[in-house]
């Protein structure tokens, strides 16, 4: 079974993907980490054609099985870099095969990202699109960072999330929208347990309907 979990920054999609993978005993890939690794690799490059060329080289050379420093990869700054390399078509193309092969492994997988249901796995068995309003997403991200001891400026964080949303929505090579056959799950008012219960219910219902043909 392939489960595609898409949604904007800090919508809860990563936590839900991990929870679904555990529940169904499937491997899980956070595809944002691939873009983050490319972003981190070009952190020192000057923006412009050189940045693009360096990002394409980094994506082509990426060993996606060996993603290193999780703390650096998951920082807010790396998220911004990731969204900048993610608008480069050649970067997306270079990362496509790894994601596709991960999805097609025997038994299936859970993948979370922005374009899983639209581009990477348009054939996924179940597609979820996770949504939450910007303020709720900012608050979640703030708490994650604070739990790691990072001091948070909520006003700046809110604007950073809106900036990420805007860049992602305008991505000419992205498919950053809800696939027609994706199930919408709004987590604004749900805690993690309730959101996971709702996601599992959607997966079970969809698979039962499929089995009935
Ligand atoms: O999900 P995460 O916040 O880690 O993603 C960081 C950035 O990577 C996103 O803002 C988006 O620009 C890019 N991304 C993407 N396609 C994916 C996953 C992430 O373009 N499948």
């Amino acid at each position: 079974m392939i489960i595609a979990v898409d949604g904007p920054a800090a919508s809860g999609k990563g936590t839900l993907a991990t929870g679904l993978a555990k529940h169904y005993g499937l491997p899980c890939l956070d595809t944002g980490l691939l873009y983050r690794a490319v972003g981190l690799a070009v952190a020192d490059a000057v923006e412009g054609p050189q940045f693009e060329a360096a990002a394409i080289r980094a994506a082509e050379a990426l060993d996606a099985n060996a993603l290193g420093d999780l703390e650096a990869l998951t920082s807010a700054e790396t998220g911004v870099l990731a969204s900048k390399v993610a608008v480069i078509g050649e970067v997306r193309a270079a990362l496509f095969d790894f994601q596709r092969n991960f999805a097609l492994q025997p038994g299936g997988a859970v993948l979370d990202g922005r374009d899983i249901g639209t581009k990477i796995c348009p054939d996924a068995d179940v597609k979820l699109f996770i949504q939450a309003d910007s303020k709720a997403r900012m608050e979640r991200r703030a708490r994650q960072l604070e739990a790691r001891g990072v001091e948070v400026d909520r006003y700046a964080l809110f604007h950073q999330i809106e900036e990420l949303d805007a860049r992602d929505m305008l991505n000419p090579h992205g498919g950053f929208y809800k696939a027609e056959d994706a199930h919408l799950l709004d987590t604004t008012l749900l805690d993690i347990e309730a959101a996971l219960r709702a996601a599992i219910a959607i997966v079970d219902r969809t698979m039962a309907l499929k089995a009935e043909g």
Side-chain angles (χ1 to χ4, degrees):
M1 166 169 71
I2 300 176
I3 306 178
V5 184
D6 288 306
S11 56
K13 63 184 185 314
T15 310
L16 284 178
T18 309
L20 287 170
K22 201 167 161 215
H23 182 79
Y24 294 105
L26 294 170
C28 187
L29 177 66
D30 170 359
T31 63
L33 282 183
L34 307 178
Y35 290 91
R36 285 171 178 267
V38 175
L40 201 55
V42 298
D44 295 328
V46 183
E47 288 201 32
Q50 279 177 359
F51 178 85
E52 268 200 44
I56 296 165
R57 276 197 307 276
E60 286 170 351
L62 187 72
D63 179 356
N65 287 306
L67 295 170
D69 181 350
L70 260 192
E71 192 158 333
L73 283 174
T74 53
S75 77
E77 295 71 29
T78 309
V80 173
L81 284 164
S83 76
K84 289 184 179 167
V85 300
V87 298
I88 305 167
E90 291 92 331
V91 167
R92 305 197 76 77
L95 300 180
F96 180 88
D97 284 346
F98 181 83
Q99 298 175 77
R100 186 77 194 145
N101 291 337
F102 190 93
L104 292 180
Q105 61 188 294
V110 181
L111 288 87
D112 80 86
R114 300 289 193 291
D115 60 347
I116 308 303
T118 50
K119 299 255 169 136
I120 306 293
C121 300
D123 49 352
D125 295 291
V126 189
K127 299 180 187 177
L128 292 162
F129 192 86
I130 314 301
Q131 191 169 275
D133 74 27
S134 312
K135 218 169 143 222
R137 291 190 283 130
M138 180 279 287
E139 193 51 43
R140 281 180 199 158
R141 188 51 55 90
R143 291 193 187 156
Q144 276 170 1
L145 293 169
E146 283 169 349
R148 281 198 232 148
V150 179
E151 203 176 308
V152 177
D153 172 346
R154 281 175 163 65
Y155 183 77
L157 187 61
F158 183 79
H159 285 283
Q160 196 179 56
I161 286 181
E162 299 245 296
E163 187 198 326
L164 278 179
D165 285 354
R167 194 176 299 116
D168 282 347
M169 266 184 298
L170 293 172
N171 189 331
H173 305 287
F176 295 8
Y177 48 84
K178 179 185 157 307
E180 245 175 51
D181 52 349
H183 301 268
L184 184 68
L185 177 57
D186 192 318
T187 64
T188 306
L189 301 174
L190 302 179
D191 61 19
I192 293 169
E193 289 76 23
L196 183 57
R197 274 199 304 277
I200 290 171
I202 292 171
V203 173
D204 286 347
R205 202 168 56 237
T206 308
M207 293 309 282
L209 283 173
K210 270 190 160 217
E212 279 172 20

